[in-house]
Amino acid sequence: MKRFLALLLALCLLGGFALGECPRFSPEEYPHVDGSTSMLPLSRALMMASTGVSAQEAELRISHSKTTLSFYALVSGEADLLLVARPAQEAFDYAEDMGVELEMRPIGVDALVFLTSDKNPVDSLTQQQAVGIYTGAITNWKEVGGADAEIVAYQRNETSGSQVMMENVVMDGQPMMDAPVEYRPSEMGALVDEVASYRNSADAIGYSVYYYVTEMYLREGVKLLAIDGVAPSNETIASGEYPYTQYSYAVIRKDEREDSPARQLFDFLTTPEGKALMAAQGYVPAA
């Protein structure tokens, strides 16, 4: 990953092809960028490409307050540009209540993936089985071809990007069963850790964002489940063959002036050069 960042930065600084049209700003001019945890690598790479700062400085300067909270920051004027998954509806309601119009553009495609212990004999679920587990209709692994063991199903908190994605692309309106607090980790990494280590057994299942668990938080002892026999990958996500996909977005306020750094970067991310930047970080750019 660091080699990719170094190459992209060099191309931008030299006026090379891949990032020849990257908008250039000083670190002081650079807008306040916020968003989802899974978009942090892109956010930092964008700052490096635009300002020429090092990876270490970009890491110090760029932090994200998570999906839904970042929308509150944008509406309140504490952020200028979001790189983000789709938030909970309350974020849009808040913007409307505050009289703030937003501009959202799809910039990438990510996926909701299910993870379990690599000791679990189950490698694939059907879409119906995934829904059944999280409505509480399916409670034992033997019902989906596994061992005779209770399914321990982890969830996320209501406003997290992965929870919103779960409800939108998997449950599709069907209510999820209640889960005790200890089965709702507040952090994405904590869920992965819990699934990997739950009582040293293979009984747990959880879900996360594909990019996060394959590029940002790799964890031994965890595997991703196929859905209807299709394993998640950049290729199956891009083609739509893997079913649980959703756009990621660049978002600004609609009244952002045309020549502002935030709007210039917003526009850049949908250019061929912007898509090249995303692809170099391992993301799937939107078509």
Side-chain angles (χ1 to χ4, degrees), residues 4 6 13 30 33 43 55 65 67 71 75 91 97 105 109 115 151 166 200-201 205 223 234 237 251 271:
F4 277 133
L13 293 174
Y30 198 75
V33 182
S43 192
S65 61
T67 302
F71 274 79
V75 170
D97 290 344
R105 286 185 190 168
V109 184
L115 49 147
I151 297 174
M166 173 70 174
N200 295 314
S201 75
I205 187 172
K223 67 179 178 181
N234 279 20
I237 291 169
V251 189
T271 66

Side-chain angles (χ1 to χ4, degrees), residues 114-169:
F114 290 94
L115 49 147
T116 187
S117 168
D118 59 8
K119 298 175 183 176
N120 192 321
V122 174
D123 292 321
S124 182
L125 296 172
T126 67
Q127 294 186 56
Q128 292 76 15
Q129 288 170 340
V131 170
I133 288 171
Y134 279 93
T135 60
I138 296 175
T139 60
N140 194 296
W141 282 107
K142 69 181 180 181
E143 298 176 70
V144 294
D148 184 2
E150 179 187 359
I151 297 174
V152 178
Y154 282 88
Q155 302 183 27
R156 290 295 314 284
N157 55 297
E158 290 182 0
T159 60
S160 73
S162 54
Q163 185 71 13
V164 173
M165 192 184 298
M166 173 70 174
E167 293 176 355
N168 287 344
V169 304

Side-chain angles (χ1 to χ4, degrees), residues 10 40 59 84 115 151 171 186 189 191 208 210 252 268 278 286:
L40 262 173
E59 185 172 352
V84 68
L115 49 147
I151 297 174
M171 303 307 292
S186 61
L191 183 146
S208 190
Y210 175 76
I252 56 174
F268 168 73
M278 290 196 67

Side-chain angles (χ1 to χ4, degrees), residues 42-274:
L42 175 62
S43 192
R44 290 168 177 166
L46 184 63
M47 184 179 194
M48 290 173 63
S50 178
T51 66
V53 300
S54 67
Q56 292 77 11
E57 186 170 353
E59 185 172 352
L60 288 172
R61 287 177 175 266
I62 298 290
S63 61
H64 285 183
S65 61
K66 302 182 184 178
T67 302
T68 298
L69 288 177
S70 70
F71 274 79
Y72 283 84
L74 181 66
V75 170
S76 67
E78 297 173 16
D80 305 305
L81 169 67
L82 304 185
L83 306 180
V84 68
R86 189 168 186 86
Q89 181 59 40
E90 69 177 60
F92 297 114
D93 295 340
Y94 177 70
E96 184 176 356
D97 290 344
M98 298 300 292
V100 175
E101 292 187 75
L102 303 175
E103 278 189 57
M104 297 179 64
R105 286 185 190 168
I107 57 172
V109 184
D110 212 328
L112 194 287
V113 294
F114 290 94
L115 49 147
T116 187
S117 168
D118 59 8
K119 298 175 183 176
N120 192 321
V122 174
D123 292 321
S124 182
L125 296 172
T126 67
Q127 294 186 56
Q128 292 76 15
Q129 288 170 340
V131 170
I133 288 171
Y134 279 93
T135 60
I138 296 175
T139 60
N140 194 296
W141 282 107
K142 69 181 180 181
E143 298 176 70
V144 294
D148 184 2
E150 179 187 359
I151 297 174
V152 178
Y154 282 88
Q155 302 183 27
R156 290 295 314 284
N157 55 297
E158 290 182 0
T159 60
S160 73
S162 54
Q163 185 71 13
V164 173
M165 192 184 298
M166 173 70 174
E167 293 176 355
N168 287 344
V169 304
V170 178
M171 303 307 292
D172 194 24
Q174 298 193 58
M176 296 178 68
M177 64 180 176
D178 289 333
V181 173
E182 60 268 29
Y183 290 172
R184 288 181 178 270
S186 61
E187 301 294 332
M188 295 176 78
L191 183 146
V192 179
D193 290 341
E194 291 289 345
V195 169
S197 61
Y198 177 76
R199 297 181 183 175
N200 295 314
S201 75
D203 301 343
I205 187 172
Y207 46 83
S208 190
V209 177
Y210 175 76
Y211 184 86
Y212 181 79
V213 294
T214 58
E215 295 283 345
M216 296 178 65
Y217 200 84
L218 304 176
R219 181 68 155 81
E220 290 186 5
V222 170
K223 67 179 178 181
L224 304 185
L225 295 175
I227 299 295
D228 291 334
V230 179
S233 68
N234 279 20
E235 293 71 27
T236 58
I237 291 169
S239 69
E241 187 180 4
Y242 182 80
Y244 296 145
T245 60
Q246 182 173 276
Y247 284 125
S248 53
Y249 298 89
V251 189
I252 56 174
R253 293 183 296 273
K254 197 166 187 177
D255 61 3
E256 189 71 54
R257 71 179 194 275
E258 290 298 321
D259 62 346
S260 73
R263 186 172 286 280
Q264 290 183 58
L265 292 171
F266 176 78
D267 291 337
F268 168 73
L269 286 165
T270 55
T271 66
E273 293 80 14

